[in-house]
Amino acid sequence: MFSDLATLTDAVTLSVDGQPVKARAGETVAACLLRAGVPYNRLTPVSGARRLPYCMIGHCFECLVEIDGIGNRQACLTLVREGMKVRRQAGAPPALEPSVP
Amino acid sequence: MSMTAPLPDADVIIIGCGPSGMAAAVTLAEAGRSVIVLDMQPAPGGQIFRSLEANLCDTSPAGQSLLAALGPAYRAGTDLIRRFRACAEIDYRPQTTVWEVRPDGTVGWLQGMNAGYVRGRQVLLAHGAMERPVPFPGWTLPGVMTAGAVQTLLKAGHLKPSGRIVLAGTGPLLLLLANQLHQLGVKPALVGRTDRLSDSVRASRHLRPDGLLPLVKGLGWLGRLKLAGVKSVTGLENLAAHGAQNVESVSFTAGGKRQTLPCDLLIVHDGIVPAIDIPNAAGLRLQWDGPNASWRPATTPDGLGASTLPPELSAGPCVLRVTGDARSIGGADAAIAHGKVAAQAILAELDHGAGPSGDALRAVDKALSVRPFLDAAFPPGLSQNLPDDDTIVCRCEELTAGDLRAKIRSGFRNMDALRGESRCGMGPCQGRSCMVTAARLLQDETSAAGCPPTFRGRPPIRPVPLGAVATLSGLDPRATIRLTLEDKPENASEDTVNAPAE
Ligand SMILES: Cc1cc2nc3c(=O)[nH]c(=O)nc-3n(C[C@H](O)[C@H](O)[C@H](O)COP(=O)(O)OP(=O)(O)OC[C@H]3O[C@@H](n4cnc5c(N)ncnc54)[C@H](O)[C@@H]3O)c2cc1C
Ligand code: FES
């Protein structure tokens, strides 16, 4: 759905559900997930439907993920960091299940 | 029992570091005032000048072609950001989310896992606009995004969309994005506009000399897209996105024919509206802006808001002003012009100056003079008709229009009763995406007219992690007593039919 304007130079590596993923330094976690082509960043707590970021400016809360052990963080407002651990959310964060690929 | 008020942390707290917030901050700081600027984004610029500093430093060929595609209106923010950065009196706090604002100037903030309150003698809400929510069948599928989202990915993520792309909706931002994509070599399969030629004809009577430049710009965009062979339709209706797990196709009606197109990314936009989350939760009076079909805070020309809190419930007089697109949609020039007006009004309030100058007020009028034309030329389209029963309205709680209609018919005939019963507006987005649709459904079902009612805004308007609550600093013992969850009166216009007794 998205591709880079230019090859990544200034890259950092974070882990998404345990897999190493490269990101451009200074970008948001949401941008990194979209570049990586994940099919969803969370499954809704109500029906388990797949969701991806929708507004990218902090209003819709569709981009929620777990970051470094804390659930429900807005991926579109959080900058990537070397070694950051991101997990996609399955349902409500207190009942986090092992991530589905 | 007497308790003293905590000392203010700054003369002025500004929420939002877009064009209006920066213009106000610079004006105040240059007059010697202490200013705290809170913004949830990582760098100054707001929506239009997002990531401008970083992109100006990028001398690679790709960086240069991105700057060229984003155009002169983007680079126009360079000086303002430089002046903002150069002011030592400005205490700029990026990546800081505001989750509560009180009329007396108390502001709740969250930065990472730290949270607290700061107090300003005056507070300026410069938190901008958001894209109008557009419920249509399939709008929650992965692969549907807003034009602003795609533009944000360009500016701050250096990502361009690929695959089969359809743009649908209306408004300058949709055409601007289509052009930016075209300049980057991305050719959409379709630009489907909900507006029609008849809208432009009707709009032309609103045209003022100051509006000619934007008009010429807009025609230029359309011309370039046409030359590039981008397929386009006008009068698009009944948009739907289809797919099992993500968007696979879109369908719509245009020229009386139903059409279906394969699609990987559907980009929607239905104009922008003032973000009212903060004003609503702060208890400011809202009014309905008919031509833009949106709420806006009721303010004086210099931005002073009107508190709906009875005096005994507030720790002091209302010191909240609203500026920029949060007050009235006008774009960057109007936001900068009004940011200065609001700052001059604040200086007068702080005993330092004569109030907004005639020149400053005229600059706002001039910048806003094109709005009536734009409102008429690009009327809300995707959101014009109320959604069908099967369409999701509340994205967080996955409630459909049918769910809400049923609750309303069973007697939940005011917004807070409807929220309490259905959970609509209780998810993490706190009603930002569903409130206007829920209010319109309620009005439609109860044959009510006038300003659509709002949910009662309650802090925190953005989730505060438990760990951060534990660190909360700057609490005011007086306010803790006075402000309870139930203290905020209904908005003046709200329909106050009660929920049925269970
Ligand atoms: C998605 C989007 C894209 C746009 N793109 C363009 C464009 O390309 N060209 C154009 O001419 N106009 C664009 N606009 C119109 C834009 O509103 C104006 O051009 C201009 O940016 C308005 O300036 P402002 O200062 O009023 O608000 P903004 O520029 O919106 O700045 C408001 C700032 O407040 C911050 N904020 C909001 N709520 C909170 C909170 N609770 N806590 C902390 N910070 C908060 C926001 O993150 C933002 O940085 C866009 C609008 C939107 C919504
Ligand atoms: S994508 Fe909308 S809040 Fe992050």
Side-chain angles (χ1 to χ4, degrees), chain B residues 148-172:
Chain B
V150 173
Q151 206 196 34
T152 296
L153 284 164
L154 273 180
K155 289 177 181 170
H158 291 202
L159 290 176
K160 59 178 180 183
S162 53
R164 295 162 300 184
I165 301 159
V166 172
L167 285 90
T170 191

Side-chain angles (χ1 to χ4, degrees), chain A residues 1 3 5 44 47 58 62, chain B residues 156 158 160 162 395 398 462:
Chain A
M1 205 160 38
S3 63
L5 289 176
T44 60
S47 75
E62 291 293 11
Chain B
H158 291 202
K160 59 178 180 183
S162 53
R395 299 177 64 105
E398 294 179 81
R462 288 164 177 277

